[in-house]
Amino acid sequence: MADNAALLVDEILPHQPIRQWVLSVPFPLRFLFAGHPVFMGKALGIVYRTIATHLSHKAGHAKTSSQTGAVTLIIVLR
């Protein structure tokens, strides 16, 4: 996982301020998401839109006039 992070930081992401957010869900939702990836995608979309809107407003911009981005990494622990 450290190799992936190094690749993102060194070669893919621009040299701009980056904020990391971690989302952890209860075990019943983890099982639901594992069995139905579409639900996980919908939940991640809601979380992304919420965080993007929050950051845009905090920076003093309207959501329509700002740009945000995200990298999602899903880790499955066994």
Side-chain angles (χ1 to χ4, degrees):
M1 186 164 45
D3 294 337
N4 290 340
L7 174 69
L8 282 173
V9 170
D10 295 339
E11 299 183 24
I12 297 174
L13 298 174
H15 295 284
Q16 298 293 324
I18 295 175
R19 180 162 299 215
Q20 178 178 341
W21 297 75
V22 176
L23 174 66
S24 181
V25 297
F27 282 103
L29 283 179
R30 294 178 195 186
F31 294 125
L32 174 71
F33 291 160
H36 304 281
V38 171
F39 294 154
M40 181 173 39
K42 290 183 183 288
L44 288 174
I46 292 167
V47 170
Y48 170 73
R49 285 191 306 275
T50 302
I51 292 172
T53 301
H54 166 74
L55 292 175
S56 295
H57 289 170
K58 191 167 178 118
H61 299 284
K63 177 68 176 98
T64 56
S65 66
S66 62
Q67 293 182 340
T68 59
V71 174
T72 302
L73 176 63
I74 300 168
I75 300 173
V76 179
L77 301 175
R78 297 175 189 204

